[in-house]
Amino acid sequence: MTSESLRDKYGETIVKLGEKHNDIVVLDADLSSSTKTSMFGKRFPERFFNMGISEQSMVSSAAGLALSGKKVFVSTFAVFLMRTYEQIRQSVCYNNVNVKFVVTHAGITVGEDGATHQIVEDVGIMSGIPNMKVIVPVDSIETASVLNYLVEETTTPYYIRLTREKFPVLNEPDYEFKEGKSVTFRDGKDLTIFANGSMVSFSLQAAEELRTHGVDARVINLSSVKPIDREAILKSARETGKIVTAEEHSIYNGIGSRVSEVVSEDYPVMVKRLGMRDTFGKSGKSWELFDYFHMGVQDIVKLSLECFREDKR
Amino acid sequence: MNNEADLKIFEKAREARKLIIEMVYSAKSGHPGGSLSIIDILADLYFREINIDPTNPNDPSRDRLVMSKGHASPALYSILALKGFFPKELLLGFRRLNSKLEGHVHRGVPGVESSTGSLGQGLGIAVGMALAGLMDKANYTVYAIIGDGELEEGSIWESLMAGNKYSLKNLIVIMDKNNVQLDGFTKDIMPMGDIRAKVSAFGWNVLEVDGHSIHEFSEAIKTAKKSGKSPSFIIANTIKGKGVSYMENNPKYHGSPPADEKEYELALRDIERMVP
């Protein structure tokens, strides 16, 4: 399976979109060579604003540009955008203007930089804000499709969570992202694994191994976290009875929480959550960290078997 | 005051002052102190300087004003009503459920360019609007009104850096220097030292005026518009609660309305007696 960088794809795609839409502007806070917005800056210097290491004013200024009719993209590392929670809430979301936050280096796959840079709370923080929508693309193809959708079809705030590492390409080239819709990568009847981001490819590997244990697992990509695909969650709850969630995020307030909320309200089944268990990250090679924090393929297999074998109350 | 145009604006401000008192007294909450300190400036901006048409509020070429000190909503709302953006009667719905007039400045109100209320954000928003104006080679001016307590927000200084970097000559910031914030006097809460020197050092064209002299302020706007490549920052020396004897320089009236009928009537009488 080939792997591709989601942030490289962001850099390329936003340039393409910039060719077509001369009202797209991009803001960054001294990380453009890492977030890849530098590509846009080179092509369209008059529409690129490097605001320096000043995230708060960057976000408010993004709102001002959007209030003046621009389609605004804001990029930095996910962790640093979080310091502007209140600017996002009031300048952008309360005004309900066309600002897209495309952040990179989210989660523990930042690796060696360590806990200070590994945000695992962001999806929860952003999902709580009215008017904000949250998407965690699974691969480079979905990243490009999401960006096209945002520019062509939407005028409200979005949070798009990208990573530093390359991720396996799972979607077909003609895949089209649909907001609020999940994608089933593998069908199964015994249990459903809802995952997003890095954990989708892990879940697919885990599903193969589960087969050798006699468990037929369904794997669904929940890239659209808000709005979430309630219909698919409830359908799986009815058809497979048991659910595992897997995300490169805290088990609090990400898809683990969202899926639990949906089934609790309408069709209660057992849900086991895999993710960061209320802890900070750590320096290390990104792929080592998954094992360290019990978020590797074997951990998904183990949790799924527990879920499958556990007595129903 | 001997100039007829200035006098007219003084009377608009007097009318707005009364509306401010009526709004906060009717709502039994709100921020009269910082509304009364900025109202002369707002009256001058909306009745002389700003190019805006209430019958065409979304005209792309209009000037923009962002009230970064969003608690001065009674001041902005009353001026917008006097300017004709909406009927004066709506002002008494201020802070009530089912009224558009939210407690802090809200974009749903006709004539309001951006919601504000959390300090330190409106200036950044104005910077974004000014950037858009330069990109589009538009002729409009962006005004941002900030408080002096608001300078304690680090994001203000971030925005000042950006204003300098991008040479936002179409941006005029007005600081309502009334020396009072919620918990007391700014010199005690967080002394700012020489604001003029600090903002000048950030690359801005700094002017200083008596914020209750409509004539002086109007002259400063003329100067600011000829500032060359730099954005302008007008330090407006004002009196918190200006025009109401018991509110003047009293931190209590940052966020409290007249306490009772007696205070309410005294406030209106004081305003009526103000002389140009």
Side-chain angles (χ1 to χ4, degrees):
Chain A
M1 205 179 300
T2 55
S3 285
E4 280 182 15
S5 158
L6 280 59
R7 56 191 167 118
D8 282 342
K9 184 57 81 174
Y10 168 46
E12 285 164 31
T13 310
I14 196 67
V15 169
K16 274 188 209 154
L17 288 163
E19 304 280 1
K20 192 172 157 202
H21 298 266
N22 61 14
D23 51 358
I24 289 180
V25 300
V26 177
L27 282 68
D28 203 305
D30 192 40
L31 287 170
S32 64
S33 54
S34 299
T35 64
K36 304 299 175 187
T37 59
S38 54
M39 295 162 80
F40 187 92
K42 262 188 213 114
R43 178 68 187 82
F44 305 108
E46 73 292 352
R47 291 196 261 147
F48 175 74
F49 303 101
N50 196 326
M51 304 300 281
I53 312 167
S54 303
E55 293 81 7
Q56 298 179 66
S57 70
M58 171 172 71
V59 171
S60 289
S61 297
L65 282 154
L67 282 163
S68 310
K70 304 297 175 195
K71 298 183 170 82
V72 188
F73 282 76
V74 172
S75 291
T76 177
F77 288 1
V79 68
F80 303 134
L81 189 73
M82 295 303 112
R83 75 191 291 143
T84 74
Y85 169 78
E86 214 205 345
Q87 277 80 13
I88 297 171
R89 178 181 186 272
Q90 305 211 21
S91 291
V92 175
C93 291
Y94 189 48
N95 275 321
N96 201 16
V97 285
N98 196 354
V99 177
K100 315 304 187 197
F101 299 97
V102 183
V103 297
T104 65
H105 295 65
I108 56 173
T109 40
V110 177
E112 291 84 344
D113 277 343
T116 55
H117 284 50
Q118 295 167 351
I119 185 123
V120 293
E121 312 94 78
D122 54 326
V123 169
I125 296 169
M126 290 296 111
S127 297
I129 310 176
N131 292 338
M132 179 65 99
K133 292 175 178 172
V134 178
I135 298 164
V136 183
V138 71
D139 63 9
S140 58
I141 290 173
E142 186 163 50
T143 301
S145 181
V146 165
L147 292 165
N148 280 307
Y149 167 74
L150 294 185
V151 171
E152 303 294 347
E153 312 271 345
T154 74
T155 57
T156 55
Y158 281 75
Y159 179 77
I160 313 302
R161 188 192 206 225
L162 306 180
T163 46
R164 191 187 104 166
E165 286 287 339
K166 293 176 176 178
F167 281 177
V169 178
L170 301 177
N171 283 295
E172 298 298 324
D174 62 349
Y175 164 73
E176 265 185 48
F177 168 80
K178 292 203 171 48
E179 182 178 308
K181 291 286 171 212
S182 60
V183 176
T184 304
F185 275 113
R186 186 186 196 283
D187 207 2
K189 60 179 187 343
D190 294 332
L191 172 141
T192 305
I193 305 172
F194 285 104
N196 65 15
S198 54
M199 304 309 278
V200 176
S201 63
F202 283 12
S203 299
L204 287 168
Q205 292 171 52
E208 283 305 309
E209 194 162 327
L210 283 166
R211 200 169 53 171
T212 66
H213 295 275
V215 177
D216 184 16
R218 182 180 295 181
V219 178
I220 296 182
N221 174 21
L222 275 185
S223 48
S224 182
V225 178
K226 185 187 175 192
I228 205 157
D229 191 346
R230 291 183 71 91
E231 215 175 297
I233 294 168
L234 291 170
K235 185 167 181 277
S236 286
R238 284 190 205 99
E239 291 174 359
T240 69
K242 290 168 178 181
I243 291 175
V244 168
T245 63
E247 58 196 313
E248 193 187 329
H249 186 270
S250 171
I251 55 166
Y252 297 141
N253 307 322
I255 56 170
S257 293
R258 295 288 111 89
V259 168
S260 302
E261 287 160 14
V262 171
V263 298
S264 299
E265 281 181 345
D266 284 343
Y267 196 88
V269 296
M270 182 180 289
V271 177
K272 295 265 188 200
R273 295 171 298 163
L274 184 137
M276 293 290 278
R277 305 193 75 83
D278 199 21
T279 181
F280 286 105
K282 210 172 163 25
S283 280
K285 294 214 185 317
S286 61
W287 305 105
E288 290 172 350
L289 290 170
F290 284 118
D291 290 333
Y292 182 88
F293 287 108
H294 305 293
M295 290 161 63
V297 173
Q298 289 312 314
D299 299 297
I300 300 176
V301 171
K302 202 173 140 214
L303 191 67
S304 299
L305 288 175
E306 269 175 42
C307 187
F308 182 69
R309 287 171 184 160
E310 216 161 296
D311 256 350
K312 271 194 199 166
R313 289 166 277 275
Chain B
M1 202 176 288
N2 45 22
N3 171 324
E4 201 170 317
D6 293 349
L7 263 175
K8 256 191 183 159
I9 287 163
F10 177 85
E11 289 307 324
K12 287 288 182 194
R14 188 202 302 280
E15 213 179 325
R17 278 194 162 87
K18 289 184 196 162
L19 292 172
I20 289 167
I21 294 300
E22 283 170 18
M23 286 169 77
V24 297
Y25 188 61
S26 157
K28 297 276 177 266
S29 70
H31 298 79
S35 294
L36 293 168
S37 62
I38 195 63
I39 197 65
D40 295 309
I41 285 169
L42 270 187
D44 185 59
L45 287 171
Y46 276 91
F47 287 98
R48 178 153 51 191
E49 321 297 347
I50 292 187
N51 165 33
I52 191 161
D53 177 3
T55 63
N56 188 13
N58 297 319
D59 182 350
S61 69
R62 73 191 183 281
D63 290 335
R64 276 86 164 154
L65 182 140
V66 181
M67 180 60 86
S68 196
K69 44 173 278 182
H71 54 280
S73 47
L76 183 61
Y77 291 165
S78 60
I79 284 289
L80 290 175
L82 290 175
K83 184 77 183 170
F85 279 96
F86 53 88
K88 263 195 299 185
E89 292 66 46
L90 294 184
L91 291 173
L92 291 183
F94 180 52
R95 290 184 163 243
R96 290 180 204 277
L97 195 60
N98 299 325
S99 160
K100 277 192 176 176
L101 303 190
E102 274 278 316
H104 287 77
V105 169
H106 181 233
R107 191 156 83 96
V109 177
V112 170
E113 298 286 350
S114 172
S115 297
T116 46
S118 171
L119 295 175
Q121 299 192 27
L123 181 53
I125 292 170
V127 163
M129 291 175 171
L131 280 173
L134 291 188
M135 270 180 70
D136 295 343
K137 299 188 171 55
N139 279 325
Y140 61 77
T141 301
V142 181
Y143 299 87
I145 295 178
I146 65 174
D148 51 350
E150 191 172 1
L151 288 186
E152 293 157 25
E153 292 282 8
S155 53
I156 290 290
W157 302 93
E158 293 183 357
S159 296
L160 290 176
M161 288 188 281
N164 172 56
K165 175 182 175 184
Y166 291 106
S167 302
L168 300 178
K169 58 179 183 183
N170 54 347
L171 175 60
I172 299 176
V173 174
I174 299 142
M175 182 185 66
D176 179 11
K177 190 172 182 305
N178 60 32
N179 303 311
V180 178
Q181 58 192 106
L182 192 146
D183 264 348
F185 295 94
T186 50
K187 66 177 171 44
D188 302 321
I189 306 297
M190 188 53 69
M192 268 300 146
D194 189 343
I195 296 170
R196 175 189 272 269
K198 285 180 179 172
V199 179
S200 295
F202 273 64
W204 287 57
N205 167 42
V206 183
L207 303 152
E208 191 162 355
V209 298
D210 171 352
H212 299 300
S213 164
I214 286 159
H215 187 74
E216 217 178 297
F217 177 74
S218 182
E219 291 300 311
I221 292 290
K222 279 184 205 151
T223 311
K225 284 190 171 171
K226 291 181 285 194
S227 70
K229 284 177 78 175
S230 307
S232 292
F233 189 102
I234 301 176
I235 300 172
N237 292 302
T238 61
I239 295 168
K240 192 121 176 175
K242 170 75 175 179
V244 176
S245 52
Y246 62 91
M247 287 188 179
E248 288 193 0
N249 286 314
N250 185 349
K252 182 186 159 195
Y253 291 97
H254 167 86
S256 303
D260 50 29
E261 189 78 19
K262 213 176 116 199
E263 275 198 14
Y264 167 69
E265 275 166 13
L266 180 56
L268 292 181
R269 201 160 62 228
D270 284 347
I271 291 166
E272 197 48 57
R273 286 176 184 166
M274 286 179 81
V275 285

